[in-house]
């Protein structure tokens, strides 16, 4: 990883550590809840994405470096809060999917942020339980 990429990652995650606790309390903010791979505790991360049928799609800006992606790899069972309502499901990492094309189908504000700050984009699909 280049020095510039590492600095971007560190700066972005430092800002997210301060903003995420506030954002995840907003009732209409979409939140992804994973199980901590070490602690076993629920970990909530505000995300941008879109529900399409029985699936929820999002793009991770730091790919497998994102903590929630690392948690998904350890335990793919997740919950997603969409418009204030929790949905359980199973997350799938989609490295074969084109994340830039996927971002065009997701909410624009989040897409701009992910494109601007991201260094290793990775598509994630959550198959929601019926």
């Amino acid at each position: 990883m280049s020095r510039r990429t590492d600095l971007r990652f560190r700066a972005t995650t430092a800002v997210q550590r301060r903003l995420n606790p506030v954002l995840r309390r907003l009732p209409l903010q979409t939140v992804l809840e994973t199980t901590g791979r070490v602690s076993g505790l629920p970990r909530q991360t505000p995300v941008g994405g879109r529900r399409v049928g029985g699936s929820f799609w999002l793009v991770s800006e730091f790919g497998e470096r994102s903590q929630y992606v690392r948690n998904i790899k350890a335990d793919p069972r997740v919950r997603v809060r969409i418009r204030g309502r929790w949905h359980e499901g199973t997350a799938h990492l989609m490295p074969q999917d084109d994340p830039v094309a996927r971002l065009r189908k997701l909410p624009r504000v989040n897409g701009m942020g992910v494109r601007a700050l991201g260094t290793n984009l990775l598509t994630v699909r959550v198959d929601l339980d019926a």
Side-chain angles (χ1 to χ4, degrees):
M1 179 178 303
S2 74
R3 179 169 164 74
R4 182 177 178 175
T5 300
D6 190 53
L7 287 173
R8 183 187 292 183
F9 173 78
R10 289 175 185 265
T12 302
T13 55
V15 170
Q16 288 174 339
R17 274 191 211 105
R18 287 171 179 78
L19 282 179
N20 285 356
V22 175
L23 290 176
R24 67 179 168 236
R25 289 188 180 122
L26 298 175
L28 295 180
Q29 171 66 51
T30 302
V31 175
L32 175 69
E33 184 179 87
T34 60
T35 301
R37 64 193 173 283
V38 175
S39 69
L41 298 173
R43 300 296 181 197
Q44 295 182 349
T45 305
V47 295
R50 174 166 286 146
R51 183 175 185 165
V52 179
S55 297
F56 181 81
W57 293 84
L58 66 122
V59 175
S60 168
E61 63 218 312
F62 296 114
E64 294 193 18
R65 245 184 124 178
S66 295
Q67 296 299 321
Y68 68 87
V69 170
R70 295 170 74 187
N71 289 341
I72 287 169
K73 287 176 77 173
D75 181 0
R77 291 297 299 168
V78 300
R79 292 192 324 151
V80 183
R81 188 179 73 195
I82 305 168
R83 295 186 185 122
R85 185 167 172 240
W86 286 101
H87 304 269
E88 293 186 7
T90 303
H92 304 277
L93 305 180
M94 309 290 291
Q96 72 280 8
D97 190 67
D98 181 354
V100 175
R102 180 68 55 193
L103 281 171
R104 290 187 200 111
K105 299 175 184 177
L106 301 179
R108 286 186 183 202
V109 173
N110 176 259
M112 289 186 303
V114 169
R115 274 197 287 292
L117 301 172
T119 58
N120 188 20
L121 305 180
L122 175 65
T123 302
V124 179
R125 183 188 80 225
V126 178
D127 292 333
L128 302 172
D129 297 344

